[in-house]
Amino acid sequence: MNIKQLNWELVVFVNHDLRRVLEQITRNEKGFVVVVDNELKIAGTITDGDIRRYIASTESFELTTKVCHLLNKNFTCLKSAERNPEIETQLIKKFKFLPIVDELGRLQEILQGNKPEFRIANEVIDDNSACYIIAEIGNNHNGSIKLAKQMVDLAVEAGANCVKFQMRNMKDLFRLRNDESADLGAQYTFDLLDRFQLSNKELFSVFDYCKLKGLKPLCTPWDEASIEDLEKYGVEFYKVASADLTNHILIKRLIETGKPLILSTGMSTDAEIALAAKLLNEARHPFMFLHCNSTYPAPFDEINLPYMQRLKELTKRPVGYSGHERGVGVSIAAVAMGAKIIERHFTLDRTMEGNDHKVSLLPNEFRQLVKGIREVEGAMVPSFNRRLSQGELINREVLGKSIYIAKAIKEGELFTRENFEVTSPGKGMQPYKINELIGQQAPKDYKIGAFIFQDDFEADSLNQRNTWAFPLKHGIPVRYHDYKALYNDASFDCVEFHLSYQDLHLDISKYIEANQQTQLVVHCPELYPNDHILNLVSDDKGYRKKSVDYLEKTISHIHDLMAYFPATKKPCLITNVGGFSEESFLPAEWRGEKYELLEEELKPFNNSCVEIIPQTMPPFPWHFGGQRFHNLFVDPDEIVSHCEKYHRRVCLDISHTKLATNMLKLSFGRVLTDLAPFTAHLHIADALERSGEGLQIGEGDIPFADIWPQIKRQFIHSSFIPEVWQGHTNNGIGFWRAFNKLEEFK
């Protein structure tokens, strides 16, 4: 009896209990299991519906209940001798799954209505997955196990998901290799293979090394003897070379292994590819075709990337691309066209002996390939709503234009064209709405130079300024120029001044009266003269020293500001400490060193007039309207560890931290609990996906109905402000809306 294709996640035994059934159904995510006895004869089936009906029909139930009480014995199966693709298709459509049994009623296979998943270990490769990138080492190790392992190391560094090798039984495969009449090309190839093959024992040693390095080893068996050896080793999936796509004998043997197959289609005609697809589809075997031109190197005008669409039609599955061209551009383009697997040859030196070296990528080129693929994947994330990114919002305000008042008007008067002009910045209503305004009544008095906002025409209670009562101290972020207007007659507990480097030279007395009783919080400038972004951990010592000097000047200014806030003994200084990078995230070792360096740079300020609290950061921060990668104060576990070690507190920006937890796939509620003991001050705003920061409350994916009560409970000793994008415009309407929204979450 052959049960190699049996998916054991879909099977339970008659002596199992309800707990085991639930575990299996949860694990397989198919909604059913087939129940067999110890001889693998089918006793019945159990579905989600069977379990629900059982629970509903009994007053109490136990997880120890045996499956015999849940069995559906009225099931349909098909004997293997009666298998027919048309009958199978009809039955699967009707029953969703179909057990296949032998002549004695023993379970052999379970067919499912959906095509089998292409899964490598726990990793599913489908239309929604990231591209799986294979570094094809093949025989480019030139027979050296040391070189093979070195290449594995470099493939890891380059970002490959997998490395591929080849195995041949030379005696069985090339029985005519000593034939003197053999073609010159064949003689050359036989000679190379004879000299550069690793023994099976050596190859398995390299496979073990791959696993040690976190890579999946993949192998192309060129003959049935090699399949047997690879099966004994226990490989998880196989690659079929282009040369064997028409070798149905070899493919059928590989199907018997039950392992997923990746098959290259080079050297085969459309009809031959269709026959191979038919063979695999009828066997309902997990497989994926790779479009390929088996020329070394492949001419660009013969690669025919659009043929990938034909492969999709033939297989009804995702497809990939195996490239032999020079460079990385075509392979990256293949990903943009839907390739979910990319395979490229990999070498350390293209001048080495062997024909594969000539079409192989060097380690730095493979790294560029991986980088390019991941960039394209990022650009391919679909969205049918044109949501402006934070960088676009920044640039829209700075570079865009909006309507402003060119001629003063009183409330109730009718707008005319003469009342309006269009100019930068783009803070107010967009210019295309100018004709909609003409003839409308002015909702309030407007002076020359004032902007017009959509909010002016909306009688929304959420936009109104109220008196709010929160258990946490609360306030709003301000600049010097709008402090009086926004804090006039306010009952706020704190104020957060967002400083620019130009503010450091202002006369504070022109903006603030003496003896302010609110708690003072200050946000350090992020940008200083000459486009200097504060970076206290820069690799450039000169740049780092300049950042420290600017921080010192800022603290000196805050010392003067404190005279106006006598109730605040030691204000918190919120600082974005730096640690960003241009191309990608940096490794944990680098981050660990930079956390230590940061504390060395901050040590002279530990006894200053302020408490420096680093801000938690988003993974993809915006600088000058462009996106970078942030490394420090992003990972919550690193933040907790750093705060515990150096007794430091932070400003917890929940929008930033939500973006980090989205990327890291962490529980946001758990992270808030972990960070609460180390939080001095909070920034409250919504967040969306991985880079949508500073959104108005309710416009992102933060579950405020759950999170806000938690914050009020766990952060009772912290203060907060609403840090919503452009909340200060139009006399602070965005802030008032945020407070009113938060009051809804009791």
Side-chain angles (χ1 to χ4, degrees):
M1 179 177 59
N2 180 15
I3 57 170
K4 287 186 177 181
Q5 297 195 70
L6 193 56
N7 183 348
W8 291 101
E9 289 187 350
L10 302 176
V11 179
V12 297
F13 286 85
V14 289
N15 61 337
H16 285 153
D17 56 21
L18 177 57
R19 183 190 301 276
R20 180 60 179 269
V21 173
L22 291 171
E23 288 174 351
Q24 287 292 82
I25 289 179
T26 300
R27 186 179 296 113
N28 67 41
E29 298 180 346
K30 301 299 182 183
F32 75 90
V33 289
V34 176
V35 184
V36 298
D37 62 19
N38 290 335
E39 295 181 354
L40 293 185
K41 293 181 179 179
I42 300 182
T45 62
I46 301 175
T47 66
D48 280 332
D50 294 327
I51 296 172
R52 287 195 296 270
R53 284 188 288 273
Y54 168 74
I55 294 174
S57 66
T58 182
E59 294 183 0
S60 62
F61 70 92
E62 300 289 339
L63 292 176
T64 55
T65 301
K66 296 299 181 182
V67 299
C68 60
H69 298 291
L70 311 173
L71 273 180
N72 173 20
K73 297 182 179 180
N74 183 23
F75 62 90
T76 298
C77 63
L78 186 66
K79 291 184 178 180
S80 56
E82 300 171 350
R83 292 189 66 171
N84 178 290
E86 292 183 6
I87 295 175
E88 290 175 10
T89 300
Q90 292 175 0
L91 289 174
I92 288 173
K93 285 181 179 178
K94 183 176 180 181
F95 298 109
K96 303 300 183 185
F97 64 94
L98 181 65
I100 305 296
V101 299
D102 64 10
E103 66 280 0
L104 298 177
R106 296 176 299 186
L107 183 64
Q108 286 195 310
E109 188 178 350
I110 303 172
L111 304 185
Q112 299 170 60
N114 296 322
K115 58 183 177 290
E117 284 183 329
F118 190 88
R119 181 188 292 267
I120 298 173
N122 294 322
E123 190 168 358
V124 175
I125 302 176
D126 59 19
D127 286 324
N128 299 314
S129 65
C131 180
Y132 196 79
I133 304 174
I134 300 172
E136 158 76 278
I137 292 176
N139 278 352
N140 279 356
H141 47 65
N142 283 27
S144 166
I145 190 171
K146 179 180 179 181
L147 183 58
K149 292 181 178 180
Q150 182 185 356
M151 295 177 77
V152 169
D153 289 336
L154 291 169
V156 172
E157 293 178 12
N161 299 104
C162 168
V163 287
K164 187 176 88 73
F165 297 90
Q166 300 175 9
M167 180 181 285
R168 296 172 175 85
N169 184 307
M170 295 296 293
K171 180 179 178 181
D172 292 343
L173 186 61
F174 298 117
R175 295 184 180 182
L176 301 178
R177 69 183 186 274
N178 296 319
D179 184 356
E180 294 180 356
S181 66
D183 181 79
L184 290 175
Q187 287 186 342
Y188 171 69
T189 300
F190 298 158
D191 177 60
L192 287 177
L193 293 175
D194 272 331
R195 289 189 289 120
F196 292 157
Q197 279 279 114
L198 289 173
S199 69
N200 288 1
K201 182 178 179 181
E202 290 173 323
L203 197 56
F204 293 153
S205 173
V206 178
F207 288 0
D208 292 339
Y209 189 74
C210 290
K211 295 177 181 179
L212 185 66
K213 293 295 181 175
L215 284 184
K216 296 291 182 186
L218 173 63
C219 192
T220 296
W222 285 76
D223 50 80
E224 293 192 45
S226 295
I227 295 174
E228 302 307 319
D229 290 334
L230 290 167
E231 278 293 284
K232 290 176 184 177
Y233 174 81
V235 297
E236 297 183 54
F237 60 132
Y238 287 101
K239 172 72 194 297
V240 176
S242 290
D244 273 319
L245 191 70
T246 59
N247 185 355
H248 291 192
I249 297 171
L250 185 76
I251 293 175
K252 286 178 180 178
R253 176 64 190 95
L254 288 169
I255 289 173
E256 290 177 357
T257 69
K259 308 291 177 59
L261 303 181
I262 301 171
L263 305 97
S264 283
T265 58
M267 298 189 279
S268 290
T269 66
D270 185 79
E272 291 167 340
I273 293 170
L275 282 173
K278 183 174 183 292
L279 171 65
L280 290 155
N281 277 324
E282 288 181 351
R284 297 191 57 76
H285 194 79
F287 74 96
M288 193 177 295
F289 277 176
L290 306 186
H291 175 52
C292 178
N293 182 302
S294 295
T295 314
Y296 297 76
F300 293 119
D301 59 353
E302 294 183 6
I303 289 175
N304 189 18
L305 282 184
Y307 189 76
M308 287 196 302
Q309 185 59 40
R310 168 64 175 160
L311 288 182
K312 287 184 180 181
E313 294 170 0
L314 284 171
T315 63
K316 311 301 182 188
R317 287 166 169 76
V319 299
Y321 175 67
S322 177
H324 300 110
E325 74 280 357
R326 293 186 175 96
V328 300
V330 171
S331 296
I332 294 172
V335 175
M337 295 177 68
K340 306 310 296 186
I341 294 178
I342 291 292
E343 177 188 64
R344 289 298 303 270
H345 287 268
F346 186 64
T347 186
L348 301 188
D349 184 353
R350 275 196 286 265
T351 66
M352 292 175 67
E353 185 180 4
N355 47 7
D356 281 356
H357 291 286
K358 306 296 185 295
V359 296
S360 298
L361 297 178
L362 297 169
N364 66 311
E365 293 170 332
F366 204 93
R367 193 176 299 111
Q368 292 171 11
L369 171 70
V370 174
K371 181 175 180 291
I373 288 173
R374 300 309 178 209
E375 289 173 348
V376 164
E377 288 178 327
M380 294 289 289
V381 176
S383 175
F384 298 103
N385 292 321
R386 182 64 173 88
R387 181 180 65 84
L388 300 187
S389 70
Q390 188 68 23
E392 285 182 307
L393 290 172
I394 294 170
N395 290 331
R396 176 173 168 136
E397 178 181 334
V398 175
L399 302 174
K401 296 179 175 66
S402 58
I403 302 169
Y404 82 107
I405 296 296
K407 179 183 177 182
I409 188 171
K410 296 290 186 180
E411 181 179 350
E413 294 180 355
L414 299 181
F415 284 123
T416 67
R417 181 63 180 84
E418 287 71 28
N419 290 117
F420 306 128
E421 269 299 349
V422 173
T423 188
S424 291
K427 287 185 177 181
M429 193 177 289
Q430 292 301 300
Y432 70 85
K433 293 189 175 184
I434 199 166
N435 289 332
E436 298 176 18
L437 295 175
I438 295 173
Q440 288 198 49
Q441 288 186 332
K444 63 181 183 180
D445 293 348
Y446 289 95
K447 297 179 180 179
I448 293 175
F451 287 95
I452 299 180
F453 298 92
Q454 187 65 45
D455 293 328
D456 295 344
F457 300 88
E458 297 174 357
D460 186 345
S461 61
L462 284 175
N463 292 336
Q464 304 305 310
R465 180 171 181 159
N466 300 310
T467 299
W468 300 278
F470 297 109
L472 285 68
K473 293 180 180 180
H474 64 285
I476 60 174
V478 296
R479 298 284 305 281
Y480 282 140
H481 67 84
D482 58 13
Y483 173 68
K484 288 183 179 180
L486 294 178
Y487 265 75
N488 186 36
D489 299 324
S491 58
F492 293 124
D493 306 300
C494 65
V495 59
E496 181 181 315
F497 281 96
H498 278 216
L499 298 180
S500 72
Y501 69 82
Q502 293 174 330
D503 292 340
L504 303 182
H505 306 290
L506 295 178
D507 181 352
I508 300 174
S509 65
K510 292 182 178 180
Y511 303 94
I512 305 176
E513 296 178 358
N515 202 30
Q516 301 290 308
Q517 294 304 304
T518 51
Q519 174 183 313
L520 173 64
V521 181
V522 181
H523 197 302
C524 187
E526 298 175 24
L527 180 67
Y528 288 92
N530 301 314
D531 293 343
H532 185 99
I533 300 173
L534 195 73
N535 189 354
L536 300 171
V537 296
S538 171
D539 293 330
D540 184 331
K541 291 183 179 180
Y543 193 99
R544 192 165 71 240
K545 182 180 184 305
K546 185 175 287 187
S547 293
V548 171
D549 291 343
Y550 281 135
L551 178 60
E552 187 173 15
K553 291 178 182 177
T554 303
I555 293 174
S556 177
H557 177 82
I558 296 172
H559 182 271
D560 296 338
L561 178 60
M562 288 173 60
Y564 296 84
F565 292 85
T568 304
K569 302 304 179 185
K570 191 166 187 174
C572 288
L573 174 58
I574 302 163
T575 311
N576 295 348
V577 299
F580 49 84
S581 49
E582 300 284 347
E583 301 293 337
S584 62
F585 293 111
L586 299 175
E589 297 78 14
W590 184 94
R591 299 197 301 270
E593 293 173 1
K594 294 303 180 180
Y595 277 118
E596 293 182 7
L597 176 61
L598 172 65
E599 290 303 326
E600 286 295 317
E601 298 294 356
L602 292 182
K603 189 179 295 183
F605 302 108
N606 286 344
N607 296 319
S608 69
C609 64
V610 301
E611 178 187 359
I612 296 176
I613 56 171
Q615 182 174 210
T616 63
M617 297 301 294
F620 305 100
W622 300 96
H623 295 144
F624 304 116
Q627 199 177 71
R628 300 190 184 185
F629 298 82
H630 220 288
N631 300 285
L632 303 187
F633 293 95
V634 175
D635 186 298
D637 292 335
E638 291 181 355
I639 296 171
V640 169
S641 177
H642 183 82
C643 290
E644 287 178 337
K645 181 176 181 179
Y646 294 102
H647 307 288
R648 190 167 293 285
R649 298 194 297 172
V650 297
C651 170
L652 172 55
D653 187 306
I654 72 164
S655 176
H656 293 173
T657 298
K658 175 59 174 170
L659 298 176
T661 60
N662 287 350
M663 183 186 74
L664 298 170
K665 295 181 172 58
L666 301 175
S667 164
F668 187 49
R670 192 271 296 171
V671 167
L672 291 182
T673 297
D674 290 347
L675 294 177
F678 310 102
T679 299
H681 184 66
L682 293 121
H683 287 168
I684 305 295
D686 215 330
L688 185 66
E689 298 170 354
R690 299 201 312 169
S691 59
E693 63 177 274
L695 304 183
Q696 181 59 267
I697 309 300
E699 294 182 0
D701 52 24
I702 292 181
F704 275 98
D706 300 323
I707 296 304
W708 186 240
Q710 177 185 352
I711 288 175
K712 290 192 293 184
R713 184 175 64 254
Q714 295 182 338
F715 293 81
I716 191 66
H717 300 296
S718 304
S719 53
F720 83 90
I721 63 157
E723 180 76 328
V724 296
W725 169 251
Q726 294 293 39
H728 66 283
T729 58
N730 204 10
N731 297 314
I733 282 179
F735 297 144
W736 318 147
R737 175 175 282 267
F739 281 133
N740 287 324
K741 285 266 192 181
L742 290 173
E743 270 204 330
E744 295 178 358
F745 305 110
K746 302 300 182 183

